[in-house]
Amino acid sequence: MSFVFVLDTHQRPLNPIHPGQARRLLTRGSAAVWRRFPFTIILNGSLPQIAPAAPLRLKLDPGSKTTGVAVVNDATGQVVFAAEVTHRGQQVHEALLARQAVRRSRRQRQTRYRPARFANRRRPAGWLPPSLKSRLANVLTWVARLRRLCPVGAISQELVRFDTQLLQDAEISGVTYQQGELAGYEVREYLLEKWDRHCAYCGVKGVPLQIEHIIPKARGGSNRVSNLTLACAPCNTAKGTQTADEFGHSTVQRQAKAPLKDAAAVNATRWALFHRLSAIGLPVEVGTGGRTKWNRSQRGLPKTHWLDAACVGASTPSRLLTRAISPWQITATGHGNRQMCGTDRFGFPIRHRTRHKRFCGFQTGDIVQAVVTQGKKVGVYEGRVLVRASGFFDIRTTAGRVTGINARYCQPLHRTDGYTYRTGTRALQSEPEATTPPVDAVVFVGVPASSPASRRAASSGGVL
Ligand SMILES: [Zn+2]
Protein backbone atom coordinates (compact mmCIF):
# COMPACT_ATOMS: atom_id res chain seq x y z
CA MET A 1 0.00 0.00 0.00
CA SER A 2 1.00 3.60 -0.52
CA PHE A 3 -0.90 6.69 0.55
CA VAL A 4 -2.72 8.53 -2.22
CA PHE A 5 -1.76 12.10 -3.07
CA VAL A 6 -4.60 14.61 -3.13
CA LEU A 7 -4.79 17.97 -4.90
CA ASP A 8 -7.46 20.59 -4.29
CA THR A 9 -9.36 22.25 -7.11
CA HIS A 10 -6.53 24.76 -7.59
CA GLN A 11 -4.00 21.90 -7.92
CA ARG A 12 -2.48 22.69 -4.54
CA PRO A 13 -1.29 19.65 -2.59
CA LEU A 14 -3.28 18.44 0.43
CA ASN A 15 -2.39 15.78 2.98
CA PRO A 16 -2.04 12.33 1.39
CA ILE A 17 -4.93 10.02 2.33
CA HIS A 18 -5.50 6.31 2.83
CA PRO A 19 -6.30 4.42 -0.40
CA GLY A 20 -9.69 3.40 1.05
CA GLN A 21 -10.70 7.00 1.52
CA ALA A 22 -9.50 7.80 -1.99
CA ARG A 23 -11.59 4.95 -3.39
CA ARG A 24 -14.70 6.26 -1.63
CA LEU A 25 -14.09 9.76 -3.00
CA LEU A 26 -13.65 8.41 -6.52
CA THR A 27 -16.76 6.19 -6.45
CA ARG A 28 -18.84 9.04 -5.04
CA GLY A 29 -17.58 11.29 -7.83
CA SER A 30 -16.06 13.85 -5.45
CA ALA A 31 -12.65 13.36 -7.00
CA ALA A 32 -11.03 12.36 -10.26
CA VAL A 33 -7.76 10.66 -11.13
CA TRP A 34 -5.09 13.29 -11.79
CA ARG A 35 -2.09 11.07 -12.32
CA ARG A 36 -1.57 7.31 -12.25
CA PHE A 37 2.09 7.13 -11.29
CA PRO A 38 2.38 7.97 -8.42
CA PHE A 39 -1.37 7.73 -7.88
CA THR A 40 -2.87 11.19 -7.34
CA ILE A 41 -6.45 12.38 -7.25
CA ILE A 42 -7.91 15.85 -7.62
CA LEU A 43 -10.99 16.99 -5.71
CA ASN A 44 -14.04 18.33 -7.50
CA GLY A 45 -14.96 20.75 -4.71
CA SER A 46 -13.80 21.63 -1.23
CA LEU A 47 -14.12 18.73 1.16
CA PRO A 48 -13.99 19.50 4.88
CA GLN A 49 -13.15 15.94 5.98
CA ILE A 50 -9.63 16.12 4.54
CA ALA A 51 -7.33 17.66 7.12
CA PRO A 52 -5.56 20.89 6.11
CA ALA A 53 -2.11 20.38 4.70
CA ALA A 54 0.51 19.71 7.37
CA PRO A 55 4.11 19.94 6.18
CA LEU A 56 5.81 16.62 5.52
CA ARG A 57 9.49 15.80 5.36
CA LEU A 58 11.03 14.55 2.13
CA LYS A 59 13.98 12.27 2.86
CA LEU A 60 16.64 11.16 0.40
CA ASP A 61 19.38 8.57 0.48
CA PRO A 62 21.35 9.10 -2.74
CA GLY A 63 23.14 6.01 -3.98
CA SER A 64 25.23 5.27 -7.03
CA LYS A 65 22.70 2.94 -8.66
CA THR A 66 19.54 3.53 -6.63
CA THR A 67 18.30 6.46 -4.58
CA GLY A 68 15.89 5.87 -1.72
CA VAL A 69 13.06 8.38 -1.37
CA ALA A 70 10.64 8.60 1.55
CA VAL A 71 8.03 11.17 2.60
CA VAL A 72 7.56 11.09 6.35
CA ASN A 73 5.11 12.80 8.65
CA ASP A 74 7.41 13.82 11.51
CA ALA A 75 4.54 14.35 13.96
CA THR A 76 3.05 10.87 13.63
CA GLY A 77 6.08 8.94 12.32
CA GLN A 78 3.97 7.70 9.38
CA VAL A 79 5.80 7.05 6.11
CA VAL A 80 3.28 8.25 3.51
CA PHE A 81 5.25 7.60 0.34
CA ALA A 82 8.31 5.54 -0.45
CA ALA A 83 10.18 4.90 -3.68
CA GLU A 84 13.43 3.53 -4.98
CA VAL A 85 14.64 5.44 -8.02
CA THR A 86 17.01 3.43 -10.19
CA HIS A 87 19.42 5.60 -12.16
CA ARG A 88 20.77 5.06 -15.65
CA GLY A 89 24.36 6.15 -15.11
CA GLN A 90 25.78 3.11 -16.85
CA GLN A 91 23.46 3.54 -19.85
CA VAL A 92 24.53 7.18 -20.19
CA HIS A 93 28.15 6.12 -20.04
CA GLU A 94 27.69 3.44 -22.68
CA ALA A 95 25.69 5.72 -24.98
CA LEU A 96 28.45 8.32 -24.88
CA LEU A 97 31.10 5.72 -25.62
CA ALA A 98 29.06 4.48 -28.58
CA ARG A 99 28.69 8.02 -29.89
CA GLN A 100 32.39 8.62 -29.48
CA ALA A 101 33.19 5.49 -31.47
CA VAL A 102 30.82 6.43 -34.30
CA ARG A 103 32.20 9.95 -34.57
CA ARG A 104 35.80 8.86 -34.42
CA SER A 105 35.20 6.28 -37.12
CA ARG A 106 33.47 8.83 -39.35
CA ARG A 107 36.29 11.33 -38.99
CA GLN A 108 38.82 8.66 -39.81
CA ARG A 109 36.92 7.71 -42.94
CA GLN A 110 35.64 11.00 -44.23
CA THR A 111 37.78 13.94 -43.23
CA ARG A 112 41.21 14.99 -44.36
CA TYR A 113 43.93 15.75 -41.90
CA ARG A 114 42.73 17.93 -39.05
CA PRO A 115 45.08 19.44 -36.54
CA ALA A 116 44.93 17.85 -33.12
CA ARG A 117 42.32 19.40 -30.81
CA PHE A 118 42.76 17.89 -27.43
CA ALA A 119 43.92 20.72 -25.20
CA ASN A 120 41.34 23.37 -26.11
CA ARG A 121 38.54 22.26 -23.80
CA ARG A 122 37.64 23.78 -20.47
CA ARG A 123 35.53 22.31 -17.72
CA PRO A 124 33.59 24.81 -15.63
CA ALA A 125 33.83 24.72 -11.85
CA GLY A 126 31.51 22.13 -10.37
CA TRP A 127 31.49 20.09 -13.57
CA LEU A 128 30.14 16.57 -13.16
CA PRO A 129 30.46 13.74 -15.67
CA PRO A 130 27.21 13.13 -17.60
CA SER A 131 26.49 9.85 -15.83
CA LEU A 132 26.59 11.56 -12.43
CA LYS A 133 24.70 14.56 -13.78
CA SER A 134 21.89 12.27 -14.86
CA ARG A 135 21.77 10.84 -11.35
CA LEU A 136 21.54 14.31 -9.88
CA ALA A 137 18.83 15.30 -12.37
CA ASN A 138 16.78 12.19 -11.50
CA VAL A 139 16.76 13.10 -7.81
CA LEU A 140 15.93 16.75 -8.47
CA THR A 141 13.10 15.71 -10.82
CA TRP A 142 11.53 13.63 -8.08
CA VAL A 143 11.96 16.35 -5.47
CA ALA A 144 10.15 18.76 -7.79
CA ARG A 145 7.39 16.27 -8.64
CA LEU A 146 6.76 15.31 -5.02
CA ARG A 147 6.63 18.96 -4.02
CA ARG A 148 3.80 19.40 -6.50
CA LEU A 149 1.91 16.37 -5.13
CA CYS A 150 2.23 16.69 -1.35
CA PRO A 151 2.99 19.50 1.10
CA VAL A 152 6.75 19.18 1.62
CA GLY A 153 7.99 21.46 4.41
CA ALA A 154 11.52 20.20 4.89
CA ILE A 155 14.12 18.00 3.22
CA SER A 156 16.57 15.55 4.75
CA GLN A 157 19.51 14.21 2.80
CA GLU A 158 22.24 11.75 3.56
CA LEU A 159 25.25 13.88 2.69
CA VAL A 160 28.23 11.71 3.53
CA ARG A 161 28.67 8.08 4.45
CA PHE A 162 30.68 9.01 7.50
CA ASP A 163 31.58 12.20 9.28
CA THR A 164 35.06 12.88 7.85
CA GLN A 165 35.45 16.00 9.98
CA LEU A 166 34.91 14.09 13.20
CA LEU A 167 37.21 11.31 12.08
CA GLN A 168 39.93 13.70 10.96
CA ASP A 169 39.81 15.49 14.28
CA ALA A 170 40.17 12.18 15.99
CA GLU A 171 43.10 11.25 13.77
CA ILE A 172 44.86 14.57 14.26
CA SER A 173 44.41 15.00 17.96
CA GLY A 174 44.83 11.32 18.68
CA VAL A 175 41.79 11.25 20.90
CA THR A 176 40.32 7.80 21.28
CA TYR A 177 37.30 7.76 19.00
CA GLN A 178 34.91 6.13 21.41
CA GLN A 179 32.18 8.62 22.15
CA GLY A 180 29.08 6.54 22.40
CA GLU A 181 27.32 4.16 20.07
CA LEU A 182 26.80 6.53 17.14
CA ALA A 183 30.53 7.20 16.85
CA GLY A 184 31.11 3.46 16.54
CA TYR A 185 28.83 3.36 13.52
CA GLU A 186 30.72 6.23 11.87
CA VAL A 187 34.00 4.37 12.37
CA ARG A 188 32.59 1.17 10.91
CA GLU A 189 31.31 2.93 7.78
CA TYR A 190 34.63 4.73 7.39
CA LEU A 191 36.59 1.51 7.67
CA LEU A 192 34.31 -0.34 5.25
CA GLU A 193 34.89 2.43 2.71
CA LYS A 194 38.62 2.67 3.34
CA TRP A 195 39.30 -1.07 3.12
CA ASP A 196 36.85 -1.66 0.28
CA ARG A 197 34.75 -4.11 2.29
CA HIS A 198 37.22 -6.93 2.39
CA CYS A 199 39.63 -8.49 4.83
CA ALA A 200 42.90 -6.51 4.83
CA TYR A 201 45.00 -9.65 5.27
CA CYS A 202 43.54 -12.37 3.04
CA GLY A 203 41.28 -10.21 0.87
CA VAL A 204 38.15 -12.32 1.38
CA LYS A 205 34.87 -10.57 0.57
CA GLY A 206 31.29 -11.12 1.62
CA VAL A 207 32.00 -12.53 5.09
CA PRO A 208 31.40 -10.80 8.42
CA LEU A 209 34.38 -8.53 9.09
CA GLN A 210 35.73 -7.54 12.49
CA ILE A 211 37.38 -4.29 13.44
CA GLU A 212 41.00 -5.21 13.97
CA HIS A 213 43.81 -3.33 15.73
CA ILE A 214 46.97 -3.17 13.62
CA ILE A 215 49.10 -2.73 16.72
CA PRO A 216 47.15 -4.91 19.13
CA LYS A 217 45.66 -3.34 22.24
CA ALA A 218 47.63 -5.85 24.31
CA ARG A 219 50.82 -4.30 22.88
CA GLY A 220 49.72 -0.74 23.63
CA GLY A 221 47.85 -0.04 20.36
CA SER A 222 45.16 2.65 20.52
CA ASN A 223 41.60 2.88 19.24
CA ARG A 224 42.59 5.62 16.79
CA VAL A 225 41.14 5.14 13.33
CA SER A 226 44.64 5.00 11.85
CA ASN A 227 45.28 1.90 13.97
CA LEU A 228 42.12 0.13 12.81
CA THR A 229 41.48 -2.14 9.87
CA LEU A 230 39.04 -4.88 8.92
CA ALA A 231 39.78 -8.58 9.15
CA CYS A 232 37.82 -11.80 8.85
CA ALA A 233 37.53 -13.95 11.95
CA PRO A 234 40.22 -16.54 10.96
CA CYS A 235 42.78 -13.82 10.11
CA ASN A 236 42.00 -11.92 13.30
CA THR A 237 42.56 -15.06 15.37
CA ALA A 238 45.71 -16.06 13.43
CA LYS A 239 47.24 -12.61 13.88
CA GLY A 240 46.71 -12.75 17.63
CA THR A 241 49.01 -10.30 19.42
CA GLN A 242 51.33 -9.69 16.46
CA THR A 243 51.48 -6.32 14.73
CA ALA A 244 50.63 -6.22 11.02
CA ASP A 245 54.37 -5.97 10.25
CA GLU A 246 55.14 -9.09 12.22
CA PHE A 247 52.14 -10.82 10.59
CA GLY A 248 53.77 -10.20 7.21
CA HIS A 249 51.56 -7.33 6.03
CA SER A 250 53.63 -4.15 6.16
CA THR A 251 51.46 -2.61 3.38
CA VAL A 252 48.46 -2.70 5.68
CA GLN A 253 50.38 -0.74 8.28
CA ARG A 254 51.36 1.89 5.69
CA GLN A 255 47.87 2.15 4.17
CA ALA A 256 46.29 2.64 7.56
CA LYS A 257 48.36 5.77 8.17
CA ALA A 258 47.35 7.34 4.84
CA PRO A 259 44.11 9.34 4.93
CA LEU A 260 41.17 8.29 2.77
CA LYS A 261 42.14 9.68 -0.62
CA ASP A 262 39.02 9.71 -2.71
CA ALA A 263 36.41 10.51 -0.08
CA ALA A 264 35.90 13.88 -1.75
CA ALA A 265 35.39 12.36 -5.19
CA VAL A 266 32.99 9.77 -3.80
CA ASN A 267 30.88 12.47 -2.21
CA ALA A 268 30.99 14.97 -5.11
CA THR A 269 27.49 14.16 -6.38
CA ARG A 270 26.01 14.25 -2.92
CA TRP A 271 27.48 17.70 -2.35
CA ALA A 272 26.19 18.90 -5.72
CA LEU A 273 22.75 17.61 -4.72
CA PHE A 274 23.01 19.35 -1.37
CA HIS A 275 23.77 22.71 -3.03
CA ARG A 276 20.87 22.32 -5.44
CA LEU A 277 18.46 21.33 -2.64
CA SER A 278 19.58 24.26 -0.51
CA ALA A 279 18.71 26.58 -3.40
CA ILE A 280 15.06 25.42 -3.28
CA GLY A 281 14.45 27.45 -0.13
CA LEU A 282 13.23 24.73 2.21
CA PRO A 283 15.21 23.82 5.33
CA VAL A 284 17.63 21.03 4.41
CA GLU A 285 18.81 18.68 7.10
CA VAL A 286 21.87 16.55 6.44
CA GLY A 287 22.86 13.29 8.04
CA THR A 288 25.68 10.80 7.72
CA GLY A 289 25.50 7.19 6.62
CA GLY A 290 26.61 6.13 10.08
CA ARG A 291 23.64 7.96 11.60
CA THR A 292 21.26 6.38 9.06
CA LYS A 293 22.50 2.91 9.91
CA TRP A 294 22.24 3.60 13.62
CA ASN A 295 18.67 4.97 13.26
CA ARG A 296 17.67 1.95 11.23
CA SER A 297 19.10 -0.64 13.59
CA GLN A 298 17.62 1.17 16.62
CA ARG A 299 14.16 0.80 15.03
CA GLY A 300 14.79 -2.79 13.98
CA LEU A 301 14.19 -2.13 10.27
CA PRO A 302 15.71 -4.20 7.43
CA LYS A 303 18.19 -2.66 4.99
CA THR A 304 16.46 -1.35 1.90
CA HIS A 305 16.98 1.90 0.02
CA TRP A 306 13.63 3.37 1.01
CA LEU A 307 13.97 2.48 4.69
CA ASP A 308 17.46 3.97 4.66
CA ALA A 309 15.93 7.15 3.26
CA ALA A 310 13.26 7.16 5.99
CA CYS A 311 16.02 6.89 8.62
CA VAL A 312 18.19 9.76 7.35
CA GLY A 313 19.05 12.50 9.81
CA ALA A 314 18.60 13.36 13.45
CA SER A 315 14.94 14.37 12.93
CA THR A 316 13.83 10.74 12.37
CA PRO A 317 10.80 10.04 14.60
CA SER A 318 11.44 7.50 17.36
CA ARG A 319 8.65 5.34 15.95
CA LEU A 320 8.48 4.96 12.17
CA LEU A 321 5.20 3.51 10.85
CA THR A 322 6.30 1.55 7.79
CA ARG A 323 4.40 -1.71 8.04
CA ALA A 324 1.80 -1.36 5.32
CA ILE A 325 3.95 0.71 2.98
CA SER A 326 5.09 -0.83 -0.26
CA PRO A 327 7.62 1.28 -2.16
CA TRP A 328 7.35 2.34 -5.79
CA GLN A 329 10.11 0.95 -7.98
CA ILE A 330 10.87 3.83 -10.31
CA THR A 331 13.41 3.28 -13.08
CA ALA A 332 14.85 6.10 -15.13
CA THR A 333 14.60 5.35 -18.85
CA GLY A 334 15.48 8.70 -20.36
CA HIS A 335 13.48 10.51 -23.01
CA GLY A 336 14.67 8.70 -26.11
CA ASN A 337 17.79 9.59 -28.06
CA ARG A 338 18.92 11.82 -30.90
CA GLN A 339 20.33 9.09 -33.06
CA MET A 340 19.03 9.61 -36.57
CA CYS A 341 20.26 6.38 -38.10
CA GLY A 342 19.97 2.95 -36.54
CA THR A 343 22.55 0.36 -37.50
CA ASP A 344 22.80 -3.39 -37.29
CA ARG A 345 25.57 -4.99 -35.29
CA PHE A 346 28.08 -4.50 -38.11
CA GLY A 347 27.44 -0.75 -38.22
CA PHE A 348 25.45 -0.99 -41.46
CA PRO A 349 22.59 1.53 -41.55
CA ILE A 350 19.26 -0.28 -41.47
CA ARG A 351 16.73 2.34 -40.44
CA HIS A 352 16.17 6.04 -40.24
CA ARG A 353 14.08 7.75 -37.67
CA THR A 354 11.27 10.11 -38.51
CA ARG A 355 11.32 13.83 -37.91
CA HIS A 356 8.48 13.53 -35.41
CA LYS A 357 8.03 11.82 -32.09
CA ARG A 358 4.25 12.08 -31.91
CA PHE A 359 1.79 10.35 -34.16
CA CYS A 360 -2.01 10.65 -33.80
CA GLY A 361 -1.45 12.34 -30.43
CA PHE A 362 0.67 9.53 -28.97
CA GLN A 363 4.35 9.09 -28.28
CA THR A 364 6.31 5.91 -27.78
CA GLY A 365 6.30 5.07 -24.08
CA ASP A 366 2.82 6.43 -23.31
CA ILE A 367 0.73 4.01 -21.27
CA VAL A 368 -2.56 3.53 -23.09
CA GLN A 369 -5.71 1.49 -22.97
CA ALA A 370 -7.03 0.23 -26.27
CA VAL A 371 -10.57 -1.06 -26.51
CA VAL A 372 -10.69 -2.80 -29.89
CA THR A 373 -14.25 -3.44 -31.02
CA GLN A 374 -13.73 -4.67 -34.58
CA GLY A 375 -11.48 -6.97 -36.54
CA LYS A 376 -9.19 -9.79 -35.54
CA LYS A 377 -7.91 -8.13 -32.39
CA VAL A 378 -11.12 -7.50 -30.49
CA GLY A 379 -10.35 -7.03 -26.81
CA VAL A 380 -8.99 -4.62 -24.23
CA TYR A 381 -5.25 -4.01 -24.09
CA GLU A 382 -3.31 -1.93 -21.60
CA GLY A 383 0.39 -1.12 -21.66
CA ARG A 384 3.14 0.98 -23.13
CA VAL A 385 2.68 1.92 -26.75
CA LEU A 386 5.16 2.00 -29.62
CA VAL A 387 3.96 4.50 -32.18
CA ARG A 388 4.32 4.30 -35.93
CA ALA A 389 3.72 6.89 -38.62
CA SER A 390 1.15 4.54 -40.17
CA GLY A 391 -1.14 5.02 -37.16
CA PHE A 392 -1.00 1.32 -36.30
CA PHE A 393 0.69 0.94 -32.94
CA ASP A 394 2.21 -1.86 -30.90
CA ILE A 395 1.16 -2.21 -27.27
CA ARG A 396 3.37 -3.99 -24.76
CA THR A 397 0.96 -5.67 -22.35
CA THR A 398 1.79 -7.94 -19.43
CA ALA A 399 0.88 -10.91 -21.65
CA GLY A 400 3.19 -9.85 -24.48
CA ARG A 401 3.34 -7.46 -27.38
CA VAL A 402 0.19 -6.80 -29.42
CA THR A 403 0.84 -5.37 -32.86
CA GLY A 404 -1.13 -3.32 -35.34
CA ILE A 405 -3.61 -1.57 -33.05
CA ASN A 406 -5.27 1.40 -34.70
CA ALA A 407 -4.61 4.69 -32.90
CA ARG A 408 -8.34 5.52 -32.79
CA TYR A 409 -8.92 2.70 -30.28
CA CYS A 410 -6.27 4.08 -27.88
CA GLN A 411 -6.94 6.21 -24.83
CA PRO A 412 -4.00 7.66 -22.88
CA LEU A 413 -3.65 6.52 -19.25
CA HIS A 414 -0.27 8.02 -18.44
CA ARG A 415 1.97 10.05 -20.72
CA THR A 416 5.59 9.00 -20.88
CA ASP A 417 7.70 10.95 -18.40
CA GLY A 418 11.12 9.34 -18.52
CA TYR A 419 10.45 6.67 -15.88
CA THR A 420 8.88 3.26 -15.55
CA TYR A 421 6.90 2.33 -12.48
CA ARG A 422 6.33 -0.82 -10.54
CA THR A 423 5.18 -1.32 -7.02
CA GLY A 424 6.45 -3.73 -4.38
CA THR A 425 9.89 -4.71 -3.23
CA ARG A 426 12.49 -5.33 -5.88
CA ALA A 427 12.91 -8.88 -7.07
CA LEU A 428 16.47 -10.10 -6.73
CA GLN A 429 16.65 -11.07 -10.39
CA SER A 430 15.92 -8.20 -12.74
CA GLU A 431 12.90 -8.80 -14.91
CA PRO A 432 13.77 -7.87 -18.48
CA GLU A 433 10.14 -7.34 -19.56
CA ALA A 434 9.39 -4.74 -16.94
CA THR A 435 12.66 -2.87 -16.96
CA THR A 436 13.41 -2.65 -20.68
CA PRO A 437 13.25 1.01 -21.66
CA PRO A 438 10.65 1.86 -24.29
CA VAL A 439 11.87 1.52 -27.86
CA ASP A 440 12.30 4.79 -29.68
CA ALA A 441 10.01 5.92 -32.42
CA VAL A 442 11.59 4.52 -35.54
CA VAL A 443 10.27 3.64 -38.93
CA PHE A 444 11.54 0.24 -39.87
CA VAL A 445 12.96 0.08 -43.35
CA GLY A 446 12.85 -3.37 -44.83
CA VAL A 447 12.02 -5.01 -41.53
CA PRO A 448 8.53 -6.47 -41.19
CA ALA A 449 6.55 -4.60 -38.56
CA SER A 450 5.25 -7.75 -36.98
CA SER A 451 6.64 -11.24 -36.99
CA PRO A 452 4.37 -14.30 -37.22
CA ALA A 453 5.30 -15.22 -33.65
CA SER A 454 4.22 -11.91 -32.17
CA ARG A 455 1.07 -11.96 -34.28
CA ARG A 456 0.23 -15.38 -32.92
CA ALA A 457 0.85 -14.18 -29.37
CA ALA A 458 -1.37 -11.19 -29.94
CA SER A 459 -4.30 -13.16 -31.29
CA SER A 460 -4.17 -15.88 -28.65
CA GLY A 461 -3.58 -13.87 -25.50
CA GLY A 462 -2.80 -10.34 -24.51
CA VAL A 463 -6.22 -9.51 -23.15
CA LEU A 464 -6.00 -8.02 -19.70
ZN1 LIG B 1 41.07 -12.73 6.28
Side-chain angles (χ1 to χ4, degrees):
M1 172 200 97
S2 198
F3 278 65
V4 174
F5 294 128
V6 189
L7 304 181
D8 71 6
T9 45
H10 301 285
Q11 299 177 19
R12 286 176 305 215
L14 298 171
N15 270 344
I17 57 173
H18 191 275
Q21 199 182 350
R23 200 177 304 119
R24 281 195 295 279
L25 289 174
L26 287 169
T27 44
R28 247 194 292 147
S30 330
V33 176
W34 175 255
R35 206 189 141 98
R36 302 237 161 192
F37 303 105
F39 198 67
T40 309
I41 60 174
I42 184 163
L43 301 179
N44 287 342
S46 68
L47 286 172
Q49 68 263 41
I50 290 184
L56 304 169
R57 181 175 286 274
L58 173 57
K59 309 183 90 171
L60 302 164
D61 173 26
S64 63
K65 288 205 180 96
T66 307
T67 289
V69 181
V71 178
V72 180
N73 186 334
D74 277 345
T76 61
Q78 177 69 54
V79 176
V80 297
F81 172 83
E84 297 179 355
V85 181
T86 305
H87 304 297
R88 52 193 292 273
Q90 195 56 35
Q91 275 168 273
V92 170
H93 178 69
E94 279 163 15
L96 288 175
L97 283 185
R99 186 182 75 180
Q100 185 190 32
V102 165
R103 287 186 176 175
R104 178 166 296 158
S105 147
R106 185 170 61 229
R107 285 182 193 132
Q108 292 286 326
R109 279 180 282 120
Q110 301 186 342
T111 55
R112 295 169 70 99
Y113 172 73
R114 284 153 55 124
R117 296 194 308 174
F118 59 88
N120 61 352
R121 309 291 202 271
R122 292 272 187 289
R123 276 174 184 171
W127 177 88
L128 281 176
S131 56
L132 298 188
K133 218 172 149 187
S134 127
R135 212 164 88 184
L136 180 68
N138 287 165
V139 179
L140 290 170
T141 297
W142 278 98
V143 170
R145 281 185 188 175
L146 288 170
R147 285 189 67 208
R148 285 199 294 271
L149 300 180
C150 64
V152 173
I155 299 175
S156 295
Q157 185 211 344
E158 187 181 301
L159 186 58
V160 285
R161 295 240 189 88
F162 36 80
D163 194 332
T164 343
Q165 198 56 52
L166 264 177
L167 289 165
Q168 259 171 17
D169 274 355
E171 293 225 27
I172 294 162
S173 59
V175 175
T176 309
Y177 196 75
Q178 291 279 320
Q179 295 142 353
E181 252 179 300
L182 180 56
Y185 273 84
E186 301 279 351
V187 170
R188 238 193 130 67
E189 283 299 295
Y190 176 82
L191 289 174
L192 285 169
E193 184 72 23
K194 184 166 183 172
W195 297 97
D196 199 20
R197 285 160 208 274
H198 45 54
C199 171
Y201 299 110
C202 70
V204 67
K205 253 190 160 168
V207 297
L209 295 171
Q210 303 171 346
I211 292 184
E212 205 270 335
H213 292 77
I214 291 169
I215 300 173
K217 286 185 90 171
R219 303 269 298 272
S222 73
N223 276 336
R224 285 175 59 173
V225 184
S226 58
N227 191 39
L228 298 179
T229 182
L230 292 172
C232 64
C235 288
N236 203 351
T237 318
K239 182 167 170 279
T241 54
Q242 304 171 75
T243 65
D245 263 333
E246 292 163 2
F247 192 49
H249 290 272
S250 47
T251 44
V252 171
Q253 201 132 12
R254 255 180 280 124
Q255 199 185 333
K257 287 258 167 60
L260 190 57
K261 264 177 287 176
D262 53 2
V266 168
N267 292 328
T269 332
R270 289 169 170 225
W271 275 101
L273 178 63
F274 172 67
H275 293 313
R276 299 287 293 273
L277 290 178
S278 306
I280 289 175
L282 293 175
V284 179
E285 175 201 43
V286 294
T288 64
R291 153 80 72 179
T292 305
K293 202 169 180 179
W294 186 74
N295 279 344
R296 184 161 50 72
S297 61
Q298 287 290 301
R299 288 156 187 78
L301 299 169
K303 171 149 184 68
T304 58
H305 292 289
W306 70 276
L307 283 173
D308 262 356
C311 290
V312 164
S315 68
T316 309
S318 57
R319 213 165 130 260
L320 269 180
L321 305 174
T322 59
R323 218 156 52 97
I325 296 296
S326 134
W328 284 99
Q329 298 296 333
I330 300 173
T331 308
T333 56
H335 298 269
N337 61 36
R338 295 192 186 85
Q339 194 176 15
M340 296 308 286
C341 179
T343 63
D344 65 10
R345 67 201 168 89
F346 305 108
F348 187 78
I350 54 167
R351 56 179 179 253
H352 252 280
R353 73 184 298 162
T354 52
R355 286 174 187 282
H356 307 287
K357 264 188 165 177
R358 290 187 157 274
F359 294 103
C360 313
F362 293 96
Q363 185 177 342
T364 294
D366 286 347
I367 298 173
V368 301
Q369 188 187 48
V371 183
V372 182
T373 51
Q374 279 177 12
K376 278 195 284 185
K377 286 174 186 158
V378 171
V380 181
Y381 309 99
E382 217 176 276
R384 295 222 177 231
V385 75
L386 185 144
V387 300
R388 290 214 169 78
S390 63
F392 287 92
F393 299 165
D394 286 6
I395 298 177
R396 204 170 63 210
T397 67
T398 46
R401 183 184 276 203
V402 189
T403 55
I405 300 289
N406 196 317
R408 71 190 153 99
Y409 294 126
C410 297
Q411 281 293 319
L413 295 180
H414 185 83
R415 296 291 187 182
T416 180
D417 58 3
Y419 295 87
T420 61
Y421 303 88
R422 272 190 313 141
T423 171
T425 37
R426 184 187 306 279
L428 286 173
Q429 291 291 315
S430 64
E431 298 161 9
E433 186 62 37
T435 51
T436 320
V439 188
D440 241 303
V442 287
V443 175
F444 293 90
V445 180
V447 177
S450 58
S451 65
S454 64
R455 225 176 286 136
R456 216 177 307 124
S459 56
S460 61
V463 184
L464 283 174

